Amino acid sequence: MDRHMSYVQKHPKVTKDRLAHFMSDNLLKDANLRAALYDGRVNGSPHIKLEVWAASGLERPTFAEAVKQEYKPVDIGHMFGPSWASHWVRATLQIPEEFAGKEVRLIFNPSCEAMVWSEAGEPLQGITGGDGRELHVDYIVTKCAPQASEPQLQVVLYLEVASNGTFGNGDFVIGPPKPDREFRLASADLVVYNHSAWAMFYDLQILKDMAAPLPDTSSVRAWQALATANAMVNAFELGDPDSIAEARAIGAQFFAAKGGEANHQVYAIGNCHIDTAWLWPYDETKRKIARSWSTQMDYMDRYPEYKFAASQAQQFEWLRVLYPSLFERMKEKVKCGQFVPIGATWSEFDANLPSGESLVRQFLLGQRFFEKHFGERSKVFWLPDTFGYSSQLPQIVRLAGAKYFFTQKLSWNNVNKFPHTTFRWIGLDGSHILTHMSPAETYVGQVTASELVDSLKKHKDIAYSNESLYLYGNGDGGGGPLEAMLERMRRVKDVDGLPKVKNAHPNEFYEHIEKTAKELVAWKGELYFELHRGTYTSQALTKKYNRQCEFLLRDVEMLSVIAQTVDSRFAYPADELTRMWQQVCLNQFHDVIPGSSIEIVYKDSTAIYEEV
């Protein structure tokens, strides 16, 4: 070991490159650790039979409509499209005898987004295809395939394929959508995971990330991480299961070293920030919600310690109406504390353009929904991605029954960096709310050592509070945490060289801060965001319609009260007014009213305004 340590210290870049090659999905993938990740793989007939039906136009048919259609055979290489079109794939799976007694997964990569449905019409799990970091294309068909003496298992699944990527249909992340984009069916395999090899892979991901700063750091643990990873690579022999156990035992010695009592404490919560509209229309968001949240509920079953937060009452309402079985399943997860409804508002609204009355309605509608369906109001005002924050908000937050605020957007300021992490935000009337901005400076964390270290390094109020909140999971276009993230989360819970990490409800974090933090600084007035420009001027018609609707709804409410006073036979139109306020508050979403969405979104928002 000493000899290897000496070489590692002399040539850290060479060792880091060696580790990267050992884990690479391209170079040497037939001989490195990647070659050991699967114990079996089959595709094609008779194991997988694929058939497809394409919906006409840009319709998004329901499962009940789709199963009645005529399906045609399809194979790998089939193209789904054009942009925003829907395709349904029927997959008939025959589990091979050699997979007996093993967990079997379907790998289905349509290069776009999809939802897995059971033959009985139950939405099961989302799929995120392609080749980006959001990739999630595996679905567990069975946890234990039948033995050879038992009847062989045949499973029929339906896959609702949406012809759009996680970030819409542009050529780049925020590019305008192409009307004729197509997506290739890249794979459809039945596989058996080698869970020991995958566990070794997750171990190495943490070690590799901890060693990344070398040689530009004097951290002993960084050097130990690199030496440990190198020794694990040395121990590995492709085709020898015992060598994986030996390598993992080496890694276990590293992870067994715990941090000190005074270590920084990270409170971690999974999330999949879903923009209610942005590079995709509202109707696609409705499917993104179901895809993302069904996936996370599956992870909750497999990782009982896992907690996941989601905001925006509007999105919960869409799930309730369009996917009632998923909504009921979600309510069970809320009861057991794994699924955390949060945010207090109808949508994650823009906080500059709407009127004060609209801001109040956002909280009124949101808290009413949470109280009705989940039994309590949200204590946390959750707005991580909005383009600045009005000084009216602390007062409104308090009056709505919340007292905490989370964001991280101001970390993007490109002129004046915001000077605080944990502080009291004071409104115009003197109301204050305990506020935290994640020092990891992201709401789409990947559970990497570097992000966890940033939670300490970039904490601007560490003298008063030695804790931080960390949001992880793929977002903006949805998805959420991946299995790899949850595995890494288990490994970094308490490791010397990193902050301590715990899965926690955000309320637990804020309540702890409230009890223990001393001398927190205060910030009075607006929280101004210095990056996104033009939000007061872009899409002027949308802004005009918003203000007209705000005035119109106020007038209708006032006149209705007067009419009811004058004539007791007049029935106050409470339900209809609530519905219209919900529509106006929907269009106040922080990528709609500011003007930062694609054209198709404004066709939808204009239709909503005209209806109101």
Side-chain angles (χ1 to χ4, degrees):
M1 185 66 181
D2 289 340
R3 176 170 57 84
H4 293 307
M5 177 66 81
S6 175
Y7 180 84
V8 166
Q9 286 185 280
K10 289 180 180 177
H11 307 287
K13 185 180 183 304
V14 173
T15 306
K16 289 198 295 182
D17 287 346
R18 181 194 189 211
L19 181 57
H21 293 325
F22 182 69
M23 302 172 68
S24 171
D25 193 28
N26 297 311
L27 191 65
L28 305 175
K29 67 178 180 180
D30 294 329
N32 64 14
L33 183 56
R34 293 275 182 174
L37 295 179
Y38 300 97
D39 282 338
R41 182 185 294 266
V42 297
N43 49 49
S45 181
H47 305 297
I48 301 179
K49 176 186 176 183
L50 300 177
E51 302 165 283
V52 69
W53 168 70
S56 62
L58 301 182
E59 299 171 359
R60 293 176 173 85
T62 65
F63 176 87
E65 294 168 333
V67 293
K68 298 175 183 177
Q69 308 304 318
E70 182 178 344
Y71 285 70
K72 298 179 180 179
V74 71
D75 207 343
I76 303 303
H78 178 77
M79 303 301 290
F80 299 111
S83 300
W84 312 119
S86 295
H87 302 252
W88 284 77
V89 174
R90 182 166 59 205
T92 305
L93 312 176
Q94 184 74 45
I95 309 297
E97 292 184 3
E98 59 265 31
F99 288 179
K102 299 176 180 177
E103 177 190 276
V104 180
R105 302 192 187 197
L106 171 67
I107 303 292
F108 182 83
N109 187 350
S111 300
C112 53
E113 294 188 295
M115 168 69 97
V116 182
W117 293 77
S118 72
E119 189 176 14
E122 186 67 24
L124 300 173
Q125 180 201 289
I127 292 286
T128 303
D131 56 6
R133 75 177 189 179
E134 300 88 4
L135 183 70
H136 175 224
V137 294
D138 63 290
Y139 168 74
I140 298 177
V141 178
T142 177
K143 293 185 178 179
C144 185
Q147 298 294 329
S149 59
E150 301 172 332
Q152 290 303 291
L153 180 63
Q154 180 172 290
V155 177
V156 176
L157 297 172
Y158 285 84
L159 298 111
E160 179 188 10
V161 178
S163 300
N164 54 266
T166 308
F167 291 93
N169 279 310
D171 284 331
F172 52 95
V173 172
I174 58 171
K178 298 175 62 178
D180 55 354
R181 190 176 178 190
E182 293 187 319
F183 300 86
R184 181 179 182 272
L185 177 57
S187 61
D189 303 331
L190 290 175
V191 302
V192 174
Y193 270 35
N194 182 337
H195 286 287
S196 295
W198 276 104
M200 179 179 174
F201 187 82
Y202 300 137
D203 292 344
L204 288 171
Q205 284 184 322
I206 296 297
L207 294 168
K208 179 173 177 283
D209 199 34
M210 289 184 70
L214 294 172
D216 300 324
T217 179
S218 58
S219 168
V220 173
R221 288 297 276 173
W223 287 110
Q224 290 175 346
L226 186 60
T228 300
N230 193 56
M232 291 174 68
V233 175
N234 289 341
F236 175 81
E237 291 290 342
L238 185 60
D240 180 4
D242 291 338
S243 72
I244 295 178
E246 179 185 347
R248 291 213 66 213
I250 295 170
Q253 296 177 30
F254 177 90
F255 290 113
K258 306 304 181 186
E261 287 296 318
N263 267 20
H264 184 74
Q265 178 68 65
V266 172
Y267 291 72
I269 183 74
N271 83 120
C272 61
H273 177 73
I274 302 176
D275 284 318
T276 301
W278 180 31
L279 303 174
W280 51 87
Y282 290 137
D283 283 344
E284 195 56 46
T285 303
K286 297 169 186 176
R287 299 201 293 188
K288 282 178 175 286
I289 295 162
R291 290 191 289 258
S292 299
W293 294 358
S294 61
T295 297
Q296 299 312 311
M297 286 187 275
D298 175 62
Y299 286 145
M300 291 173 203
D301 291 338
R302 292 156 57 188
Y303 296 85
E305 76 279 12
Y306 173 46
K307 295 184 186 298
F308 171 84
S311 65
Q312 306 190 70
Q314 173 68 86
Q315 295 190 4
F316 287 99
E317 173 65 3
W318 280 335
L319 190 77
R320 186 188 70 83
V321 173
L322 300 174
Y323 300 87
S325 63
L326 267 185
F327 187 76
E328 291 304 314
R329 183 181 169 197
M330 182 202 68
K331 286 173 70 175
E332 291 303 312
K333 294 299 184 184
V334 172
K335 287 180 183 177
C336 73
Q338 287 187 278
F339 201 115
V340 180
I342 204 163
T345 59
W346 188 251
S347 72
E348 288 189 7
F349 55 86
D350 175 84
N352 293 315
L353 291 159
S355 68
E357 180 63 30
S358 286
L359 298 182
V360 169
R361 298 295 177 136
Q362 287 282 354
F363 285 90
L364 180 65
L365 294 170
Q367 292 288 49
R368 274 183 179 171
F369 186 93
F370 289 141
E371 201 163 50
K372 177 179 178 180
H373 294 285
F374 307 127
E376 61 182 7
R377 300 182 186 184
S378 175
K379 293 182 180 179
V380 182
F381 173 37
W382 188 270
L383 204 57
D385 195 31
T386 288
F387 315 153
Y389 305 89
S390 165
S391 55
Q392 296 170 292
L393 284 169
Q395 179 185 14
I396 298 172
V397 171
R398 278 289 190 175
L399 292 172
K403 56 180 180 177
Y404 309 128
F405 174 41
F406 173 81
T407 186
Q408 67 84 48
K409 196 70 171 184
L410 298 194
S411 68
W412 296 11
N413 280 8
N414 62 354
V415 179
N416 301 292
K417 292 297 182 183
F418 192 77
H420 304 299
T421 296
T422 305
F423 59 99
R424 299 195 182 280
W425 182 21
I426 303 176
L428 293 179
D429 74 325
S431 299
H432 63 83
I433 50 178
L434 180 57
T435 301
H436 181 74
M437 299 189 184
S438 174
E441 297 186 351
T442 183
Y443 52 80
V444 290
Q446 301 294 299
V447 191
T448 63
S450 56
E451 289 173 347
L452 296 175
V453 170
D454 280 348
S455 295
L456 172 61
K457 284 174 56 179
K458 296 184 179 180
H459 198 303
K460 300 181 180 72
D461 297 289
I462 201 72
Y464 310 115
S465 168
N466 194 27
E467 295 84 20
S468 61
L469 193 59
Y470 174 67
L471 278 59
Y472 66 97
N474 294 317
D476 291 319
L482 301 174
E483 183 175 357
M485 297 180 197
L486 301 180
E487 289 288 341
R488 292 197 292 270
M489 187 62 68
R490 284 181 167 178
R491 286 158 174 76
V492 300
K493 184 167 60 174
D494 188 3
V495 178
D496 187 28
L498 295 176
K500 292 182 179 180
V501 185
K502 64 186 293 187
N503 292 282
H505 191 301
N507 285 1
E508 181 183 348
F509 165 75
Y510 282 102
E511 288 165 0
H512 178 79
I513 295 295
E514 209 167 33
K515 292 176 183 176
T516 62
K518 297 182 172 54
E519 301 179 5
L520 288 179
V521 297
W523 182 277
K524 187 171 184 178
E526 179 184 11
L527 295 175
Y528 181 70
F529 181 50
E530 299 175 351
L531 184 61
H532 298 342
R533 307 291 192 241
T535 59
Y536 281 112
T537 54
S538 300
Q539 294 293 337
L541 182 61
T542 296
K543 294 168 172 59
K544 175 184 175 182
Y545 277 155
N546 172 75
R547 191 66 80 231
Q548 287 178 338
C549 287
E550 289 174 333
F551 288 148
L552 178 62
L553 289 172
R554 181 199 63 182
D555 293 345
V556 171
E557 288 180 332
M558 291 174 61
L559 292 171
S560 295
V561 170
I562 294 170
Q564 192 175 39
T565 303
V566 172
D567 187 346
S568 60
R569 293 172 298 176
F570 178 81
Y572 186 87
D575 290 344
E576 184 63 11
L577 283 168
T578 296
R579 187 189 69 81
M580 288 190 286
W581 266 115
Q582 288 172 346
Q583 294 291 77
V584 172
C585 287
L586 167 62
N587 278 349
Q588 289 171 352
F589 179 74
H590 67 258
D591 273 314
V592 177
I593 192 172
S596 49
S597 290
I598 59 174
E599 180 183 10
I600 192 173
V601 171
Y602 294 102
K603 293 180 179 179
D604 291 342
S605 66
T606 298
I608 288 172
Y609 285 132
E610 289 176 347
E611 180 190 355
V612 171

